[in-house]
């Protein structure tokens, strides 16, 4: 095995071993086998291009082209087709699947399911890194620089898979792959120096490899010590982080990792914002089910599954403030602010929840307010928000909801409008903490709140008017495609544009409520979901939701619903004057599932205006592009791509066409020396380089022997050589040519091609070696032109001073 081939194999192996660090990001590791096969083909194309040999740029271009074609054909038809014909098969579907993979990355939690889109991103990324490694280590012969793309691949994987475990093993594989690449490249460089002097072991040193042979077969000193240094460096890199003290805390350290004095893992909830993926969940193409539950609640419409309360607004975003965690009590304490009158009218309900294996949320979704939780695993309790958060299980590992089954007992509260309206002033501590607003809040927020609630005599009436302003009569439109800004300026922009989704509505109402002195925070979780035929309820990704919670003394934290989203009902206690008939017990909320039939435009037009404002009528079905109809067959695009393919084929066949034209022109001249040059070029194309020092007779014998010619082709070569000798030594004006000259040259050229293998024959036809004459001729012409210009410039320099002296 040659040194360059060895470096190629170890470069591919280093890329594949580093790619193992991506394994924790997805559920299945089967894509690694495909990556290995694709990397093998890519490396083989590079090795073949260098063996031909091709120019460096052509070798890289061939590898890139083959990689793209493999991916295109591997994933063609995987995406939903938006067209027809070969263009759709090779290009349109491929691009659509790539975009789908980008969306899947934003929608799924780690470990994500191995969708076709995510698999395409993984394979494309690994192939890109593999191409960079091959170019740097083999084509450019700088294996040390090849560590940069490998480091980039490992860094991205390690950053995304934090907390998924196995990081030390992935680092060990990546480091071992890089060290093997360096050793193989070093061995190749050492072999090029021949025999190694000094420090060589006893016995003969192989000049071909640069390594000790004979004797004990040990490596020479440079290689032996290089291996030792590599092993020691890798061991130190793995061991040192394990024994050094943790660098937790600070700007990047997670506060939730701390333990209290008793060693029970106290800690706090730091700035965790689960809204990062809420918008992508609402826009998810794959509306997968993340939770299933059964409940004995008589009001399924109130069965919101709450994850976390965001109670701090710093002007940039809403987030959960840092609060101490405690052990989960057997029975949770009474909710803050809940009075006896409302507590006596409540019903305790039981809900059994099963989480999907792909849902890796660290906070436990459950109805509010929960009174008792039965769940396995290590969990901590945050009393102010009444939430459960997964405890630390090990280094960078935390308890989460993934695949959990648990039971929650909670209170179904039924406060009346009269109770809320008669609520006394809030507790001063609660009021002080939950009415804080940032200094950079635009004045338009408070001004709009005062204008909307003008004339209201109590906090409850102000809250209802704010809710109706967003959900009924304010002219706001629900749109999940709007940018999900969370800062103060985003609220002002939302009030001006009047379009957004649940995040905008919840944040804006909470901020406006605080500006009026009403304690408020934002809750994040899921709407009740869709009831199934067997009595269970499915909660999907598009049921993700955010809503404001306002505090009323004697009732506690109370949900309001300002979002005019289809399928969401306003709470009964928030509609004291609603004239439209409403059922006393809300029905199950329909899911935003992709399988649910979309309402047709005629239904929306028949909907009363009052229900339209409440979002009870649905929205017109969006027009979908099916790829047919008015678009028709993409004739222009197909013609363009066909023309591009033809141009590429023409460029590929250009050397063949040039060589054939030169041959015909030479033979048509019926000149003996020109025909002899054509015969020499035919031999050169199959690997017999010309030797100008030989006589025509000896040169002909050399072509016959090296070209393995016999019979008539060999005699044809000798006849041409004889004619060349007569032309060189015959008197001027003598006719030395013969009628069969062109036929003999063609016969010899055909026999030379037939005597070599298929690969050499293709090489001779598509990439003829005699094409070097074109480069040499161009270089000679350029040199001659440069010499002529230099001579002309010299004459000008000589003449100008003479003219000046006259």
């Amino acid at each position: 095995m040659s040194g360059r081939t060895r470096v190629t194999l170890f470069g591919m192996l280093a890329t594949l071993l580093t790619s193992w660090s991506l394994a924790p990001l997805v559920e299945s590791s089967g894509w690694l086998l495909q990556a290995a096969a694709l990397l093998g083909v890519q490396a083989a194309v590079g090795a073949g291009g260098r063996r031909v040999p091709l120019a460096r740029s052509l070798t890289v271009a061939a590898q890139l082209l083959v990689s793209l074609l493999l991916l295109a054909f591997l994933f063609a038809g995987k995406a939903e087709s938006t067209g027809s014909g070969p263009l759709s098969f090779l290009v349109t579907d491929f691009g659509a699947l790539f975009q789908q993979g980008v969306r899947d990355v934003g929608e799924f939690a780690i470990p994500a399911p191995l969708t076709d889109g995510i698999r395409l991103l993984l394979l494309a990324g690994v192939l890109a890194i593999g191409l960079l490694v091959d170019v740097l280590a083999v084509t450019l012969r700088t294996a040390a620089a090849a560590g940069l793309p490998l480091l980039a691949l490992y860094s991205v994987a390690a950053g995304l898979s934090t907390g998924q475990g196995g990081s030390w093993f992935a680092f060990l594989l990546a480091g071992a792959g890089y060290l093997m690449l360096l050793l193989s490249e070093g061995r190749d460089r050492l072999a090029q120096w021949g025999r190694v002097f000094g420090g060589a072991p006893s016995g003969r040193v192989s000049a071909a490899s640069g390594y000790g042979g004979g004797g004990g077969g040990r490596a020479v000193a440079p290689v032996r010590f290089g291996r030792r240094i590599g092993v020691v460096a890798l061991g130190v890199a793995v061991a040192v982080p394990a024994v050094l003290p943790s660098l937790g805390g600070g700007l990047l350290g997670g506060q939730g990792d701390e333990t209290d004095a008793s060693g029970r893992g106290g800690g706090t909830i730091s700035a965790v914002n689960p809204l990062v993926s809420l918008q992508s969940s609402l826009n998810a193409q794959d509306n997968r089910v993340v939770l299933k539950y059964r409940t004995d609640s008589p009001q399924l419409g109130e069965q919101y599954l709450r994850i976390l309360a965001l109670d701090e607004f710093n002007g940039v975003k809403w987030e959960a403030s840092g609060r101490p965690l405690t052990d989960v009590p057997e029975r949770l304490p009474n909710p803050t602010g809940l009075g006896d009158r409302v507590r006596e009218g409540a019903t305790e309900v039981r809900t059994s929840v099963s989480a999907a294996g792909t849902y890796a949320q660290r906070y436990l979704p459950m109805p509010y307010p929960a009174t008792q939780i039965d769940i396995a695993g290590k969990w901590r309790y945050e009393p102010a928000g009444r939430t459960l958060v997964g405890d630390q299980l090990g280094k960078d590992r935390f308890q989460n909801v993934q695949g959990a089954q648990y039971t929650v007992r909670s209170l179904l509260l039924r406060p009346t409008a009269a109770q809320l309206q008669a609520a006394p002033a809030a507790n001063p501590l609660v009021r002080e903490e939950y009415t804080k607003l940032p200094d950079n809040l635009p004045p338009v927020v408070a001004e709009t709140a005062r204008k909307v609630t003008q004339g209201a005599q109590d906090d409850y009436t102000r809250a209802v008017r704010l809710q109706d302003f967003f959900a009924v009569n304010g002219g706001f439109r629900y749109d999940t495609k709007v940018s999900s800004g969370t800062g103060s300026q985003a609220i002002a922009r939302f009030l001006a544009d009047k379009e957004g989704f649940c995040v905008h509505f919840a944040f804006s109402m909470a901020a406006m409520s605080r500006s009026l002195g009403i304690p408020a925070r934002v809750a994040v979780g899921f709407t009740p979901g869709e009831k199934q035929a067997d009595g269970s309820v499915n909660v999907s990704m598009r049921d993700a939701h955010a809503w404001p919670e306002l505090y009323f003394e004697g009732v506690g934290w109370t949900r309001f619903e300002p979002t005019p989203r289809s399928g969401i009902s306003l709470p009964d206690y928030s509609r004291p004057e609603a004239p439209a008939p409403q059922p006393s017990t809300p029905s199950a909320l329909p899911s935003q599932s992709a399988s649910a039939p979309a309402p047709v435009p005629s239904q929306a037009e028949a909907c009363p205006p009052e229900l339209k404002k409440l979002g009870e009528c649905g929205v017109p079905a969006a027009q979908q592009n099916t790829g047919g109809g008015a678009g028709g067959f993409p004739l222009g695009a197909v013609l363009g791509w066909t023309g591009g393919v033809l141009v590429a084929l023409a460029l590929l066949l250009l050397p063949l066409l040039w060589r054939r034209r030169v041959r015909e022109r030479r033979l048509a001249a019926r000149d003996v020396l020109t025909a002899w040059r054509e015969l020499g070029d035919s031999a050169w194309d199959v690997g017999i380089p010309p030797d100008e020092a030989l006589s025509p007779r000896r040169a002909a014998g050399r072509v016959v022997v090296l070209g393995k010619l016999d019979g008539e082709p060999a005699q044809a070569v000798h006849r041409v050589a004889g004619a060349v000798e007569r032309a060189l030594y015959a008197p001027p004006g003598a006719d030395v040519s013969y009628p069969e000259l062109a036929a003999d040259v063609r016969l010899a050229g055909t026999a030379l091609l037939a005597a070599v293998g298929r690969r050499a024959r293709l090489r001779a036809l598509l990439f003829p070696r005699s094409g070097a004459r074109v480069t040499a001729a161009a270089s000679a012409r350029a040199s001659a032109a440069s010499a002529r210009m230099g001579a002309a410039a010299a004459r000008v320099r000589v003449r100008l001073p003479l003219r000046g002296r006259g």
Side-chain angles (χ1 to χ4, degrees), residues 462-464 466-468 470 491 494 504-514 520 548 550 560-562:
R462 297 186 185 95
V464 171
L466 287 177
Q467 175 183 265
D468 293 345
F470 291 109
I491 296 177
F494 168 66
H504 301 93
F505 289 95
F507 287 178
S508 299
M509 182 172 174
M512 295 171 73
S513 298
R514 287 192 174 192
L550 275 56
F560 283 81
E561 194 55 81

Side-chain angles (χ1 to χ4, degrees), residues 347-420:
T347 303
E348 187 170 74
V349 298
R350 183 177 183 272
T351 305
S352 299
V353 187
S354 176
T358 57
Y359 183 59
Q361 171 63 250
R362 191 181 166 195
Y363 294 85
L364 189 69
M366 54 187 181
Y368 182 86
T371 58
Q372 189 174 6
I373 301 100
D374 182 12
I375 184 172
K378 296 181 65 177
W379 296 88
R380 307 289 289 170
Y381 176 64
E382 194 275 291
R386 300 183 71 84
T387 57
L388 259 66
V389 59
D391 201 359
Q392 186 172 9
L393 300 178
K395 182 176 177 59
D396 297 331
R397 294 180 59 241
F398 295 89
Q399 180 72 54
N400 60 36
V401 189
Q402 190 174 15
Q405 295 184 353
Y406 56 98
T407 302
V408 181
R409 291 189 177 274
S410 60
L411 295 177
L412 176 60
L413 301 178
R414 297 186 179 92
T416 64
Q419 290 173 330
L420 291 168

Side-chain angles (χ1 to χ4, degrees), residues 550-594:
L550 275 56
Y551 181 84
F552 293 91
E553 196 67 40
V555 180
W557 291 102
T558 308
R559 176 179 67 89
F560 283 81
E561 194 55 81
T563 305
R565 172 177 162 183
S566 176
I568 292 182
S569 301
L570 302 182
D572 287 341
Y573 51 78
S574 67
R575 292 186 284 113
E577 301 174 358
Q582 296 289 338
S584 57
T585 302
S587 59
L589 298 183
S591 170
Q592 303 298 309
S593 171

